[in-house]
Amino acid sequence: MPPATPEPAARPLRVREDPAVRRQAILEAAARLFATHGFADTTVRDIGDEVAIKSGSLYHYFASKDAILEAVLREFLADLGTATAAIVSAGTSPRRQVTDLVRHAFTLMGERPYWVLTYQNEFLRLAGQPGFEFVAGESARIEAAWVAALTASAEAGDFAVDVPVAVRYRLVRDATWTAVRWYRPGEELDAAALAERYVAVFYGNHAAG
Amino acid sequence: MPPATPEPAARPLRVREDPAVRRQAILEAAARLFATHGFADTTVRDIGDEVAIKSGSLYHYFASKDAILEAVLREFLADLGTATAAIVSAGTSPRRQVTDLVRHAFTLMGERPYWVLTYQNEFLRLAGQPGFEFVAGESARIEAAWVAALTASAEAGDFAVDVPVAVRYRLVRDATWTAVRWYRPGEELDAAALAERYVAVFYGNHAAG
Amino acid sequence: MPPATPEPAARPLRVREDPAVRRQAILEAAARLFATHGFADTTVRDIGDEVAIKSGSLYHYFASKDAILEAVLREFLADLGTATAAIVSAGTSPRRQVTDLVRHAFTLMGERPYWVLTYQNEFLRLAGQPGFEFVAGESARIEAAWVAALTASAEAGDFAVDVPVAVRYRLVRDATWTAVRWYRPGEELDAAALAERYVAVFYGNHAAG
Amino acid sequence: MPPATPEPAARPLRVREDPAVRRQAILEAAARLFATHGFADTTVRDIGDEVAIKSGSLYHYFASKDAILEAVLREFLADLGTATAAIVSAGTSPRRQVTDLVRHAFTLMGERPYWVLTYQNEFLRLAGQPGFEFVAGESARIEAAWVAALTASAEAGDFAVDVPVAVRYRLVRDATWTAVRWYRPGEELDAAALAERYVAVFYGNHAAG
DNA sequence: GATGAATGAGTGTTCATTCAT
DNA sequence: GATGAATGAACACTCATTCAT
């Protein structure tokens, strides 16, 4: 039943959240949309809808739609770079490092699949685009860590089959990271279990000891 | 045998006059643009420019931009399905079949990288989109062939490491097909050589005799 | 009385005018709007409304709103430059040339006031703007013609009062061209009569013989 | 005489603390921006930046962007009206009055060019706009003073050339006030010298006695 | 009095699609 | 078949204005 006296046109409920929280919410929403619809097919209105603000208000947080993508990629690559550096500088055995890299990848794909997908889907297009040079730079640093660990493991004689490291790196990287397209945690195998099996295949054997 | 009546000499030399030829040229151009710029970032004008006709004329060949994408994917999947079926019904050994599947994949990535990339890039977005149900259907048929070959090979004891076939299939598929992002023929290793090394790693050993 | 049977939703009446005619109509409408509301306050939708096409269709004729302004100014300055050159190279006396320049200005202000106003209103803002260098260039050429005629007339002793030519030029130019803000033909004095009186004041006397 | 009680020394040196001072600073900044970029192309952010406050705070001083323009024009026209009235009611000779009006105009253009330009640039557009009727009203009052002085001077036989006063007024007004587009004090001729030459040309002779 | 966050209406521009010629 | 002109719906982005803090 409607109220007897009509309510005055309800003023919009301005929640006045913490700006830093809202900024992060925008990035989360944007990453999800970029990953599922593609950057070009995602409109700033779509992003605004997801965080319940008008598209114009996004421009208080980011200078442009491109800047949102940039922030997503910067945060993603910073986190990935930090974790990668931690793994390869831990002083553990090469195979341990490779295993940790793969396991961390599966964990990350489980936790933040949209960020990983956004990175993968936009990587090629962004190569050489002004303002996005950091993508190639940071990617190269991470690639170097993987290649170093694989090289050390090969020199230690860990692999059942001998192939050039450039070939092995790509096989390992592609098999691992492409899993983001189908891997969802909570299924039969968790990140650690999957990583272990992947690594076993990569090496052609199970870890000694 | 040449026609009895000589053709008039003055006819202007218009290449690609055959509608079927032009239709195919449109698909080639579209696939290249879809792969390099993305479907959403490719305009029908771009496609028209590549084949030297105005965008409006594209609509004599295809009902819509979506229809061009559909035709690209239909042709790609039809060819891939045919080749896949031929390999797995050749009566060869399981490992031979797996090797042929991988080798064929590398060959195809070398010959038609843009078609492969278009398929990969749009696959997720197209899932469940009306008119594109054939993509999932055809993909499932091809997947079944790969899984069958891998299962047979596992049952034959070919693999050094034992993992569930669902896991192995995805690892093999992802490692193989993602190579389209970097593999270009004419480099150090050709398709056959690369395929051989990939298969060796997948199996954890080199093919017997 | 409405017809008994409802008419089918009337398809838009596409007049299919001569494109060159429509292009010119766009320029006329744009000049009028730029002059009366200012360039910044004129929307491309306003322009489209005046020529009965949608704003998007304007982009078949011009690459941008700026390009419309550029075309207006180019046409205006080309016409003005041609007329100016014809006057000062006619071999007439200096005072005759000055009189003709002023008379032509009044005629032009009567015939195309909006073009003159657009030029005047946007001149300062456009100085140094990329793509609009021709405005300053062409303006300088026209100014040189006026200064030459005034200088020759001063050397001939035509002026009752002696002032530096730079001062006189600006006085004459400003007094003459600013008339576009109020002069409309069909009032008491026509262009020729007004020009004659202006010139008489500029010279401090009436023309001899 | 300095105040008896010394001011506290530690007070932070905040210039422009007085609201009236800040209000005036806003008008100065706004006039400069309106004159150089145009009213439509000036944002309230631009104005705020110039006086180091956020755009929202401008609304403590003015009700709207239009109200800022209105205040600029009101102050400008009030000052100009006062000065004009003082000149024409001084009891001096008609030619003296005309000379003083022109000299005051040049002085004003030197001191407050942006106010003059804002007035000129927005005058046409504002005609008949609600809230801006005072512009036409005040302008008419000033025009009447110029016309009266010119009429009296003509009746005194000061002019070398005889033209209708309506024509002469416009010529004199336009030549004089349009100088704001190029006149900057500190060049060869100062306001008084320029005014003298302009008046000499307007009269067709130099002042007697 | 000052601010930052938010809005809503609008801006120039793009583009897949249509269709008379 | 081919085209150029036209459209309409969308797009990223801007900005004067409001208001709780």
Side-chain angles (χ1 to χ4, degrees):
Chain A
M1 201 176 76
T5 54
E7 295 193 84
R11 271 176 306 143
L13 185 77
R14 301 218 195 148
V15 188
R16 189 72 63 174
E17 279 184 78
D18 180 351
V21 170
R22 178 154 282 184
R23 198 190 124 100
Q24 196 61 28
I26 292 169
L27 293 184
E28 296 284 354
R32 184 168 57 253
L33 290 166
F34 293 163
T36 51
H37 301 93
F39 178 76
D41 264 350
T42 299
T43 73
V44 292
R45 277 176 181 79
D46 291 339
I47 301 172
D49 287 351
E50 294 279 313
V51 292
I53 63 175
K54 301 298 172 189
S55 65
S57 304
L58 289 175
Y59 290 81
H60 280 284
Y61 298 92
F62 299 98
S64 66
K65 189 186 168 191
D66 265 24
I68 299 178
L69 175 60
E70 186 188 325
V72 167
L73 295 177
R74 274 195 195 280
E75 181 176 322
F76 170 71
L77 284 170
D79 289 357
L80 180 57
T82 302
T84 302
I87 289 168
V88 298
S89 60
T92 49
S93 75
R95 178 158 184 162
R96 174 83 262 145
Q97 291 182 17
V98 170
T99 304
D100 287 346
L101 287 171
V102 172
R103 173 148 49 192
H104 173 258
F106 272 99
T107 304
L108 192 56
M109 291 186 278
E111 290 171 354
R112 310 176 79 184
Y114 304 123
W115 301 64
V116 177
L117 278 165
T118 297
Y119 167 72
Q120 285 182 18
N121 292 341
E122 306 301 331
F123 181 84
L124 279 180
R125 187 176 65 80
L126 258 27
Q129 193 141 322
F132 286 93
E133 297 85 359
F134 73 94
V135 176
E138 202 61 37
S139 298
R141 227 183 325 273
I142 294 163
E143 167 171 336
W146 283 61
V147 169
L150 288 168
T151 301
S153 210
E155 285 169 355
D158 295 337
F159 291 105
V161 168
D162 194 40
V163 296
V165 68
V167 170
R168 194 187 320 270
Y169 164 63
R170 283 163 169 162
L171 188 161
V172 168
R173 177 199 60 188
D174 292 347
T176 301
W177 285 108
T178 305
V180 72
R181 297 195 170 199
W182 53 264
Y183 171 63
R184 290 296 168 269
E187 298 182 355
E188 310 141 74
L189 298 172
D190 66 6
L194 258 175
E196 197 177 334
R197 278 155 187 78
Y198 264 58
V199 170
V201 172
F202 294 150
Y203 277 84
N205 57 53
H206 289 277
Chain B
M1 201 175 80
T5 54
E7 294 194 83
R11 217 171 84 209
L13 189 87
R14 271 186 259 155
V15 187
R16 287 198 200 128
E17 211 165 313
D18 182 354
V21 171
R22 178 160 280 187
R23 201 189 121 101
Q24 195 59 28
I26 292 168
L27 294 184
E28 297 283 354
R32 184 168 57 251
L33 291 166
F34 293 163
T36 50
H37 302 92
F39 178 76
D41 269 346
T42 298
T43 72
V44 292
R45 253 193 189 76
D46 292 338
I47 301 172
D49 287 351
E50 294 277 314
V51 294
I53 65 175
K54 301 298 172 189
S55 66
S57 304
L58 287 175
Y59 289 80
H60 288 293
Y61 297 93
F62 297 98
S64 67
K65 189 184 168 193
D66 264 26
I68 298 178
L69 176 60
E70 186 189 324
V72 167
L73 295 177
R74 273 197 196 280
E75 180 177 325
F76 171 72
L77 284 169
D79 290 357
L80 180 58
T82 302
T84 303
I87 288 167
V88 298
S89 61
T92 50
S93 74
R95 178 159 183 162
R96 175 82 262 146
Q97 291 182 18
V98 170
T99 304
D100 288 346
L101 287 171
V102 172
R103 174 149 47 192
H104 174 259
F106 272 99
T107 303
L108 192 56
M109 290 187 279
E111 289 171 355
R112 310 176 77 185
Y114 304 125
W115 300 65
V116 178
L117 278 164
T118 297
Y119 168 72
Q120 284 182 20
N121 292 342
E122 307 301 331
F123 181 84
L124 279 179
R125 187 176 66 80
L126 258 28
Q129 194 140 321
F132 287 93
E133 297 83 0
F134 73 95
V135 176
E138 203 60 37
S139 297
R141 226 182 326 273
I142 293 162
E143 166 171 337
W146 283 62
V147 169
L150 289 167
T151 302
S153 208
E155 285 168 356
D158 295 337
F159 292 105
V161 168
D162 194 42
V163 296
V165 68
V167 170
R168 191 185 325 268
Y169 164 63
R170 284 163 168 161
L171 188 161
V172 167
R173 176 198 60 187
D174 292 347
T176 300
W177 286 108
T178 305
V180 74
R181 298 196 170 199
W182 52 264
Y183 171 63
R184 291 296 168 269
E187 298 181 358
E188 310 141 75
L189 298 172
D190 66 4
L194 259 176
E196 196 177 335
R197 277 154 188 78
Y198 264 58
V199 170
V201 172
F202 294 150
Y203 278 87
N205 57 54
H206 288 276
Chain C
M1 200 176 79
T5 54
E7 295 192 83
R11 272 177 306 145
L13 185 77
R14 301 217 195 150
V15 188
R16 188 70 64 173
E17 278 183 79
D18 180 352
V21 170
R22 177 154 282 184
R23 198 191 124 101
Q24 196 61 28
I26 292 168
L27 293 183
E28 296 284 353
R32 185 169 55 252
L33 291 165
F34 293 164
T36 50
H37 302 93
F39 178 77
D41 263 351
T42 299
T43 73
V44 293
R45 281 172 182 79
D46 291 338
I47 301 173
D49 287 351
E50 293 278 313
V51 292
I53 64 175
K54 302 296 173 192
S55 67
S57 304
L58 289 175
Y59 289 81
H60 281 283
Y61 298 92
F62 300 98
S64 66
K65 189 187 169 192
D66 264 23
I68 299 178
L69 175 59
E70 187 189 326
V72 167
L73 295 177
R74 273 194 196 281
E75 181 177 323
F76 170 71
L77 284 170
D79 290 356
L80 179 56
T82 302
T84 302
I87 289 168
V88 297
S89 60
T92 49
S93 73
R95 178 157 183 164
R96 175 81 263 147
Q97 290 182 17
V98 171
T99 305
D100 287 346
L101 287 171
V102 173
R103 177 151 45 194
H104 174 260
F106 272 98
T107 303
L108 193 56
M109 290 186 279
E111 290 170 356
R112 311 176 78 184
Y114 303 124
W115 301 64
V116 178
L117 279 164
T118 298
Y119 167 71
Q120 286 182 19
N121 292 342
E122 306 301 331
F123 181 85
L124 280 180
R125 186 176 67 78
L126 259 27
Q129 193 142 323
F132 286 93
E133 297 85 0
F134 73 96
V135 177
E138 203 60 37
S139 299
R141 230 185 318 276
I142 293 162
E143 168 172 334
W146 283 62
V147 169
L150 288 168
T151 301
S153 211
E155 286 168 355
D158 295 337
F159 292 106
V161 169
D162 194 43
V163 296
V165 67
V167 170
R168 195 187 320 269
Y169 164 63
R170 282 164 170 163
L171 188 161
V172 167
R173 176 198 62 188
D174 292 348
T176 301
W177 286 108
T178 305
V180 73
R181 296 196 171 198
W182 52 264
Y183 172 62
R184 289 296 168 270
E187 299 182 354
E188 310 141 73
L189 299 172
D190 65 6
L194 258 175
E196 196 178 334
R197 279 156 187 77
Y198 264 58
V199 170
V201 172
F202 294 152
Y203 277 85
N205 56 52
H206 289 279
Chain D
M1 202 174 78
T5 53
E7 295 194 81
R11 224 179 73 216
L13 189 89
R14 269 186 261 155
V15 186
R16 291 200 196 127
E17 209 163 315
D18 181 353
V21 171
R22 178 161 281 187
R23 200 190 121 100
Q24 195 60 27
I26 292 169
L27 293 184
E28 296 283 355
R32 184 169 54 253
L33 291 166
F34 293 164
T36 50
H37 301 93
F39 177 76
D41 269 346
T42 299
T43 72
V44 293
R45 254 194 188 78
D46 292 338
I47 301 172
D49 287 351
E50 294 276 313
V51 293
I53 65 175
K54 301 298 173 190
S55 65
S57 304
L58 288 176
Y59 289 81
H60 288 293
Y61 298 91
F62 298 97
S64 67
K65 188 186 169 192
D66 264 25
I68 299 178
L69 175 60
E70 187 190 325
V72 167
L73 295 177
R74 273 195 196 281
E75 180 176 324
F76 170 71
L77 284 171
D79 289 356
L80 179 57
T82 302
T84 301
I87 289 168
V88 298
S89 60
T92 50
S93 74
R95 179 158 183 164
R96 174 83 264 146
Q97 291 181 18
V98 170
T99 304
D100 287 347
L101 288 170
V102 173
R103 176 150 46 193
H104 174 259
F106 273 98
T107 304
L108 193 56
M109 290 186 280
E111 289 170 357
R112 310 175 76 185
Y114 303 125
W115 300 65
V116 178
L117 278 164
T118 298
Y119 168 70
Q120 285 182 19
N121 293 341
E122 306 301 330
F123 181 84
L124 279 179
R125 187 176 66 80
L126 258 28
Q129 194 140 323
F132 286 92
E133 297 84 359
F134 73 95
V135 176
E138 203 60 39
S139 298
R141 228 183 324 275
I142 294 163
E143 167 172 336
W146 284 62
V147 168
L150 288 168
T151 302
S153 209
E155 286 168 354
D158 294 338
F159 292 106
V161 169
D162 194 42
V163 297
V165 67
V167 170
R168 196 188 318 271
Y169 164 63
R170 283 164 170 160
L171 187 161
V172 168
R173 177 198 60 189
D174 293 347
T176 301
W177 286 107
T178 305
V180 73
R181 296 197 170 197
W182 52 264
Y183 171 63
R184 290 295 168 271
E187 299 183 357
E188 311 140 75
L189 299 172
D190 65 5
L194 257 176
E196 198 177 333
R197 278 156 187 76
Y198 264 57
V199 170
V201 172
F202 293 152
Y203 277 85
N205 57 52
H206 289 279

